[in-house]
């Protein structure tokens, strides 16, 4: 047998041996790497065709909209597109130039054109983002301009409203004359531009976003920690119970997935409100007086409780799947080697659950950071998260650029955390199931 | 109840130990076993025979439902596993995957509060003992099965335990490596003088390594004896059938005189046998004969012994020996092994021969 193999082996080693260039070649002299690529090309093409529908789906429904949204956070041509003459004047004259007759003439021309095209509202809205309270200035000026504006334009426009002479307004209009702006990002971190165009803190009563970001991240951390505290023992129980009973318990864990999110959240309202079940029981037990009913909902406590409950399965499932693979003989070995049950848990069992814990924590945290419905329903005013603000800008103020900027910052924050996690723990240590 | 004296003869004592998991059936039924200091004792038996349960009770992972387990004269029923000071090697090695080899070995020393220098010297010594000195910084996943086995062994020995338990430690290795590790474990045992309780279902492993073997079946020890006694003088049909290859001939006791019995087989033939657990004539019995003790050349049979007619069914060539399947007394599963020497008689299927044996080699046991 060995003898029969020998000549064959000799050919292979001869042909595949390194040539002068040092590359391996196949029997017919082609480089080995090329041959390998060729031989696996067909399989790779098939695999690519199989994932192509999903790839297209993700591209169309996910990547493109997100890209457009991100673009919207830096681009808003509501002013520049509808006020072309004034925008041109801003481009020709550097910052600090007093508005001259040409500027007022351009303004008057643009106001008439915009009023005629019924886009004056869009222009006003755009300026209103950076300087609240100016939308009506544009709409009323547009109404008046429709009947014609006679020169001298400066006097005519100032007669409509003295506010047109405000240097701050001209500074804001100059900012808006370019379709691309960083103002939405500045606003998202409570900054604004003064008349000279320098970046300064926003007025104190308008500083809401930084605080909201901090609160969002802090509450998400608390919720993640709570799900860990509650989920770890349950996952351990699931992993160690006999199959039949652990399946039953697993159904209980998954039950929340089968009921509507709204139903679950409103159930918490029933339980936690001041005249709710929990307070009633506490009063009945005499723990608190009837006039001391606890405020457990419509504030941060409510947000934490309801979101911990809703996100718990996302912590339990990865933990469970990792714990199930940990052989009980590890802990037994540790015990036989002289470790107390606490030491065996701390040094042997717990470190082996880290991949599941990391996955669960990352999952819960990322979901919590972007959570919207639950804080909107049970959060009151102190339990609102940044996503509620994004939703408000999307649906009420219609400032989509602002919503996009806030969302982009949130995304960036999560990506940074993801990167930190990768550096500290390693993404390849992640086990989702 | 007698308390065992600490000493060479009673290092580990199982005293009327019973174990039940569900309160309805006993997994271990009245176990009495004394293990001497420095002894290599193997618990051998099919799966479900209670041997692993016994080991787990000794290690402290299971509690005895009834009875007492003593280690070095002290009752350890209520001593938690980490205070028993027993080294243990697990079937899957149970090396901690998130620690290096060195950290694995350091673990039992750290929990005992040893200083760093003391730990280092002990780890180095233990690794040298299993010839794994250069693998200190590897992770278990980077080692082969045999290497992991050695590390598991080193970890169980590094803190100088009084007793080492091994739960089928070689089950996952291939045949060649298994045989090599059997030899190494045995050599370590001889060198260190430790007491070893070894659990296996592999009878070959048990025979090569042990000082004594306890054969478990159905929650009881069927026989406790050194390997040679166990093989050559099985006390009941289970042991005879479980250890090595065995021929079982069914029949009735025709005559009984002291331990000499005359057995009439189903087809009316008579054979000589040694009575083992037979009390009276007329009793049903199974006669057990090892295949290599069967002779077919008249000059090798004892004078005056009864012989049986046998038809050769087939002959298998196994290299060092030849294995012939014979039809004897209506049973066609009778096996005879004979050495493959130069000029050995050639048997061919269909041939009729006469076979016989020394009466001491045929043991009349309980009927199966």
């Amino acid at each position: 047998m060995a003898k029969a193999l020998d000549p064959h082996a000799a050919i292979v080693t001869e042909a595949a041996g390194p040539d002068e260039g040092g590359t391996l070649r196949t029997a017919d002299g082609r480089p080995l790497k090329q041959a390998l690529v060729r031989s696996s090309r067909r399989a790779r093409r098939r695999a690519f065709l199989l994932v192509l529908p999903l790839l297209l789906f993700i591209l169309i429904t996910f990547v493109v909209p997100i890209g457009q949204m991100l673009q919207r956070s830096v681009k808003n041509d509501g002013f520049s597109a509808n006020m072309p003459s004034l925008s041109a004047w801003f481009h020709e004259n550097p910052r600090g130039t007093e508005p001259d007759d040409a500027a007022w003439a351009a303004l008057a021309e643009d106001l008439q054109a915009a009023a005629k095209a019924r886009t004056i509202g869009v222009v006003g809205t755009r300026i209103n983002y950076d300087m609240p309270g100016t939308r009506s200035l544009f709409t009323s000026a547009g109404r008046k301009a429709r009947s014609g504006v006679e020169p001298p334009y400066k006097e005519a426009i100032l007669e409509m409203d003295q506010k047109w002479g405000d240097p701050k307004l001209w500074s804001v209009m100059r900012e808006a004359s370019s379709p691309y702006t960083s103002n939405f990002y500045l606003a998202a971190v409570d900054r604004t531009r003064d008349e000279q165009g320098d970046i300064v803190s926003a007025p104190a009563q308008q500083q809401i976003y930084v605080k909201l970001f901090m609160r969002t991240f802090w509450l998400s951390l608390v919720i993640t920690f709570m799900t860990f505290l509650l989920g770890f023992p349950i996952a351990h129980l699931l992993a160690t119970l006999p199959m039949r009973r652990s399946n039953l318990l697993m159904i209980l864990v998954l039950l929340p997935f089968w009921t509507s999110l709204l139903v679950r959240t409103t159930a918490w309202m029933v339980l936690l409100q001041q005249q709710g079940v929990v307070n009633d029981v506490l009063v009945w037990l005499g723990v608190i007086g009837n006039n001391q009913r606890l405020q457990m909902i419509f504030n941060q406590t409510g947000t934490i409780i309801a979101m911990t409950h809703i996100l718990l399965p996302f912590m339990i499932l990865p933990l469970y799947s990792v714990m199930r693979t940990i052989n009980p003989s590890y802990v037994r070995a540790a015990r036989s080697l002289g470790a107390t049950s606490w030491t065996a848990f701390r040094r042997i069992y717990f470190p082996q659950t880290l991949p599941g814990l990391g996955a669960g924590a990352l999952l819960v945290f990322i979901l919590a950071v972007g959570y919207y419905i639950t804080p909107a329903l049970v959060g009151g005013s102190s339990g609102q998260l940044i996503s509620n603000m994004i939703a408000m800008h999307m649906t009420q103020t219609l400032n989509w650029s602002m919503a996009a900027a806030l969302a982009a910052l949130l995304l960036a924050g999560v990506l940074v955390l993801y990167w930190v996690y990768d550096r500290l723990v390693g993404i390849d240590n992640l086990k989702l199931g | 109840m007698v308390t065992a004296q600490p000493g060479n003869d009673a290092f580990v004592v199982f005293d009327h130990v019973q174990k039940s998991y569900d309160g309805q059936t006993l997994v271990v039924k009245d176990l009495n076993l004394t293990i001497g200091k420095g002894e290599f004792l193997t618990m051998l038996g099919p799966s479900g025979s209670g041997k692993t349960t016994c080991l787990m009770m000794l290690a402290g992972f299971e509690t005895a439902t009834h009875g007492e387990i003593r280690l070095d004269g002290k009752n350890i029923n209520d001593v938690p596993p980490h205070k028993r000071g027993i080294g243990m090697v697990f079937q899957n090695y149970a090396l901690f995957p998130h620690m290096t080899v060195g950290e694995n070995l350091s673990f039992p020393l750290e929990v005992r509060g040893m200083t760093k220098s003391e730990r280092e010297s002990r780890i180095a010594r233990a690794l040298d003992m299993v010839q794994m000195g250069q693998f200190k910084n590897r992770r278990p996943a980077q080692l082969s099965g045999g290497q992991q086995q050695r590390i598991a062994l080193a970890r169980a020995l590094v803190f100088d335990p009084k007793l080492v338990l091994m739960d089928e430690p070689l089950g996952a290795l291939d045949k060649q490596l298994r045989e090599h590790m059997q030899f190494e474990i045995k050599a370590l045992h001889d060198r260190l003088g430790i007491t070893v309780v070894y659990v296996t279902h592999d009878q070959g492993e048990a025979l090569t390594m042990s000082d004594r073997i306890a054969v478990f079946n159905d929650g009881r020890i069927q026989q406790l004896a050194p390997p040679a006694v166990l093989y050559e003088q099985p006390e009941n049909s289970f042991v005879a059938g479980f250890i090595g290859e065995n021929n079982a001939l069914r029949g009735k006791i025709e005559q009984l005189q002291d331990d000499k019995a005359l057995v009439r087989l189903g087809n009316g033939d008579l054979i000589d046998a040694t009575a083992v657990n037979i009390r009276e004539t007329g009793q049903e019995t199974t006669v057990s004969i090892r295949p290599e003790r069967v002779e077919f050349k008249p000059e090798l049979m004892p004078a005056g012994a009864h012989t049986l007619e046998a038809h050769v069914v087939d002959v298998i060539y196994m290299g060092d020996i030849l294995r012939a399947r014979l039809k004897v007394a209506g049973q066609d599963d009778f096996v005879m092994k004979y050495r493959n020497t130069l000029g050995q008689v050639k048997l061919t299927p269909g041939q009729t021969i006469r076979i016989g044996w020394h009466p001491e080699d045929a043991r009349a046991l309980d009927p199966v």
Side-chain angles (χ1 to χ4, degrees):
Chain A
M1 189 67 192
K3 207 167 187 158
L5 263 177
D6 257 342
H8 183 63
I11 290 168
V12 170
T13 41
E14 201 177 302
D19 61 9
E20 304 82 57
T23 51
L24 288 174
R25 285 177 183 282
T26 54
D28 58 358
R30 249 182 306 152
L32 198 58
K33 255 193 195 138
Q34 207 179 3
L36 186 70
V37 170
R38 185 180 295 255
S39 64
S40 55
R41 187 177 296 157
R42 207 182 134 80
R44 250 187 294 168
R45 191 180 305 141
R46 272 170 56 113
F48 178 74
L49 284 176
L50 276 174
V51 297
L52 190 64
L54 180 66
L55 193 70
L56 286 176
F57 179 78
I58 288 178
L59 212 63
I60 292 166
T61 63
F62 195 71
V63 177
V64 172
I66 282 192
Q68 281 189 336
M69 202 64 200
L70 287 177
Q71 194 199 24
R72 211 179 268 275
S73 71
V74 289
K75 184 184 177 188
N76 191 320
D77 57 3
F79 184 90
S80 57
N82 297 314
M83 306 281 275
S85 312
L86 191 57
S87 295
W89 182 85
F90 279 124
H91 282 296
E92 282 155 20
N93 297 280
R95 184 179 288 278
T97 319
E98 280 292 309
D100 52 16
D101 285 344
W104 290 102
L107 176 59
E109 184 192 330
D110 282 346
L111 278 176
Q112 289 179 79
K116 224 168 264 164
R118 298 185 185 282
T119 53
I120 192 71
V122 178
V123 176
T125 305
R126 169 68 189 89
I127 299 303
N128 197 58
Y129 289 155
D130 288 338
M131 193 173 170
T134 48
R135 191 171 187 276
S136 59
L137 184 67
F138 280 85
T139 45
S140 71
R143 261 197 312 277
K144 287 168 188 159
R146 205 171 300 168
S147 49
V149 186
E150 298 297 322
Y153 295 114
K154 182 175 180 182
E155 284 70 17
I157 292 173
L158 281 177
E159 202 178 305
M160 291 179 195
D161 200 320
Q162 279 299 316
K163 279 191 206 147
W164 282 108
D166 188 349
K168 167 96 197 237
L169 176 67
W170 282 86
S171 167
V172 168
M173 286 198 293
R174 175 181 285 280
E175 287 294 329
S177 67
S178 157
Y180 292 96
T181 174
S182 59
N183 280 10
F184 296 109
Y185 280 101
L186 289 177
V189 292
D190 291 342
R191 295 287 187 280
T192 185
R193 285 181 197 275
D194 62 7
E195 289 151 33
Q196 281 74 45
D198 295 329
I199 296 166
V200 291
S201 290
Q205 75 274 11
Q206 287 175 24
Q207 292 188 11
I208 44 171
Y209 298 117
V210 171
K211 212 178 90 192
L212 214 48
F213 269 116
M214 303 290 269
R215 183 200 285 167
T216 301
F217 279 95
W218 169 245
L219 283 189
S220 300
L221 265 182
V222 170
I223 288 161
T224 307
F225 187 69
M226 295 289 287
T227 55
F228 159 65
L229 274 189
L230 294 173
F232 198 90
I234 297 173
H236 181 71
L237 198 63
L238 276 170
T240 46
L241 273 182
M243 211 48 177
R244 207 144 48 95
R245 270 194 289 169
S246 86
N247 278 346
L248 191 72
L249 199 62
M250 185 55 105
I251 289 173
L252 294 181
V253 168
L254 292 177
L255 203 60
F257 278 141
W258 303 343
T259 41
S260 152
L261 183 69
L262 278 171
V263 173
R264 277 180 283 158
T265 308
T266 34
W268 278 114
M269 287 156 92
V270 173
L271 285 172
L272 295 178
Q273 60 184 304
Q274 285 210 305
Q275 300 301 322
V277 179
V278 175
N279 267 316
D280 281 351
V281 169
L282 287 176
V283 169
W284 180 71
L285 287 173
V287 180
I288 51 169
N290 198 18
N291 51 353
Q292 297 169 301
R293 285 173 175 264
L294 299 173
Q295 178 69 45
M296 289 182 290
I297 203 157
F298 308 123
N299 57 14
Q300 286 190 13
T301 318
T303 303
I304 293 173
I305 293 177
M307 281 179 65
T308 302
H309 167 237
I310 285 160
L311 294 175
L312 199 54
F314 295 100
M315 179 62 94
I316 293 177
L317 291 177
L319 267 178
Y320 163 71
S321 79
V322 168
M323 283 177 175
R324 214 180 30 174
T325 64
I326 300 176
N327 196 316
S329 69
Y330 289 128
V331 170
R332 284 187 165 180
R335 299 273 281 144
S336 81
L337 291 170
T340 59
S341 44
W342 167 242
T343 309
F345 170 79
R346 189 173 53 87
R347 293 204 43 199
I348 305 303
Y349 190 77
F350 184 71
Q352 293 189 61
T353 64
L354 279 180
L357 183 58
L362 210 60
L363 209 58
V364 170
F365 186 84
I366 289 175
L367 282 173
V369 155
Y371 231 66
Y372 156 65
I373 298 177
T374 304
L377 288 177
V378 301
S381 61
S382 69
Q384 296 294 304
L385 301 182
I386 198 73
S387 42
N388 301 108
M389 199 50 86
I390 296 174
M392 190 195 83
H393 281 307
M394 290 294 290
T395 57
Q396 286 169 33
T397 69
L398 297 182
N399 188 352
W400 283 19
S401 293
M402 190 65 205
L406 288 172
L409 282 181
L410 197 60
L411 180 65
V414 170
L415 286 179
V416 165
L417 275 172
Y418 197 73
W419 177 77
V420 169
Y421 181 89
D422 186 34
R423 295 303 299 270
L424 292 181
V425 188
I427 275 319
D428 46 346
N429 266 337
L430 216 62
K431 245 187 185 164
L432 283 171
Chain B
M1 195 151 287
V2 193
T3 22
Q5 293 300 310
N8 284 344
D9 290 325
F11 187 58
V12 178
V13 177
F14 285 87
D15 191 354
H16 294 288
V17 171
Q18 294 181 307
K19 173 72 185 175
S20 173
Y21 286 107
D22 54 3
Q24 288 170 348
T25 49
L26 281 170
V27 183
V28 175
K29 302 167 181 163
D30 195 33
L31 177 77
N32 292 287
L33 175 63
T34 303
I35 303 168
K37 196 160 199 144
E39 188 175 11
F40 196 119
L41 183 119
T42 298
M43 294 177 173
L44 174 68
S47 50
S49 61
K51 57 187 195 305
T52 300
T53 306
C54 285
L55 196 76
M56 289 302 163
M57 285 194 284
L58 186 51
F61 299 127
E62 299 288 353
T63 49
T65 313
H66 173 81
E68 207 177 71
I69 301 171
R70 288 189 291 271
L71 175 64
D72 211 0
K74 285 186 290 287
N75 182 344
I76 55 166
N77 279 25
D78 297 323
V79 178
H82 67 278
K83 287 193 177 145
R84 296 195 179 192
I86 297 175
M88 187 151 178
V89 181
F90 291 83
Q91 190 170 10
N92 59 355
Y93 320 131
L95 294 175
F96 307 137
H98 58 295
M99 295 182 177
T100 64
V101 165
E103 286 163 347
N104 261 285
L105 262 70
S106 176
F107 183 79
L109 308 177
E110 280 167 41
V111 297
R112 283 174 173 73
M114 281 187 193
T115 62
K116 192 166 165 53
S117 56
E118 164 110 45
R119 290 204 305 262
E120 291 296 325
S121 72
R122 272 173 179 262
I123 292 168
R125 192 155 18 108
L127 284 178
D128 284 344
M129 188 172 69
V130 292
Q131 292 114 49
M132 293 286 290
Q134 69 273 42
F135 293 95
K136 195 177 160 208
N137 294 318
R138 297 270 191 97
R139 297 220 172 231
Q142 297 168 307
L143 301 177
S144 71
Q147 289 169 333
Q148 290 187 32
Q149 179 55 55
R150 282 162 200 262
I151 299 303
L153 203 58
R155 190 180 65 176
L157 294 171
V158 72
F159 60 98
D160 290 339
K162 302 175 265 187
L163 174 66
V164 176
L165 311 182
M166 302 191 188
D167 183 12
E168 309 217 7
L170 307 179
L173 303 182
D174 61 58
K175 185 169 175 288
Q176 219 168 357
L177 200 55
R178 195 160 61 224
E179 279 165 9
H180 181 70
M181 286 304 293
Q182 286 171 10
F183 168 75
E184 281 201 25
I185 291 175
K186 186 67 187 149
L188 265 177
H189 166 255
D190 292 343
R191 187 144 52 89
L192 302 176
I194 44 173
T195 311
V196 176
V197 178
Y198 192 100
V199 163
T200 183
H201 64 262
D202 181 337
Q203 37 128 339
E205 203 166 288
L207 289 176
T208 27
M209 299 174 79
S210 323
D211 293 332
R212 282 194 300 165
I213 299 172
V215 181
F216 276 71
N217 190 39
D218 196 22
R220 286 182 202 282
I221 295 184
Q222 302 290 328
Q223 188 171 357
L224 173 63
V229 175
L230 207 61
Y231 185 79
E232 287 165 25
Q233 296 159 27
E235 276 171 11
N236 58 40
S237 292
F238 175 80
V239 177
F242 191 72
I243 310 271
E245 209 171 358
N246 180 53
N247 289 309
L249 291 173
R250 278 169 287 279
K252 245 185 197 142
I253 302 289
E254 183 88 358
Q255 241 178 66
L256 190 61
Q257 197 176 45
D258 297 330
D259 65 344
K260 291 200 184 351
L262 202 60
V263 178
R264 186 170 293 282
L265 301 179
N267 67 344
D269 285 342
L270 277 174
I271 54 167
D272 300 303
T274 307
V276 181
N277 49 4
I278 290 301
R279 283 173 301 278
E280 56 194 16
T281 25
Q283 205 180 335
E284 293 276 342
T285 183
T286 304
V287 180
S288 143
I289 311 132
R290 296 292 179 196
E292 69 275 15
R293 297 290 170 99
V294 178
E295 300 291 355
F296 66 100
K297 292 175 198 158
E299 66 271 22
L300 293 174
M301 290 181 223
H306 285 93
T307 57
L308 291 178
E309 193 183 63
H311 300 277
V312 179
V313 181
D314 55 33
V315 179
I316 297 169
Y317 179 84
M318 296 178 78
D320 53 345
I321 58 160
L322 292 152
R323 186 177 184 278
R325 195 151 64 87
L326 309 174
K327 185 169 179 178
V328 175
Q331 293 172 234
D332 61 357
D333 56 354
F334 195 95
V335 174
M336 174 176 73
K337 288 178 182 167
Y338 53 102
R339 285 172 60 212
N340 184 15
T341 51
L342 193 66
Q344 178 63 282
V345 178
K346 273 207 161 45
L347 296 179
T348 46
Q351 195 179 348
T352 304
I353 51 172
R354 288 203 80 81
I355 54 168
W357 47 78
H358 288 268
E360 305 89 77
D361 288 333
R363 296 172 66 79
L365 306 169
D366 51 302
V368 181

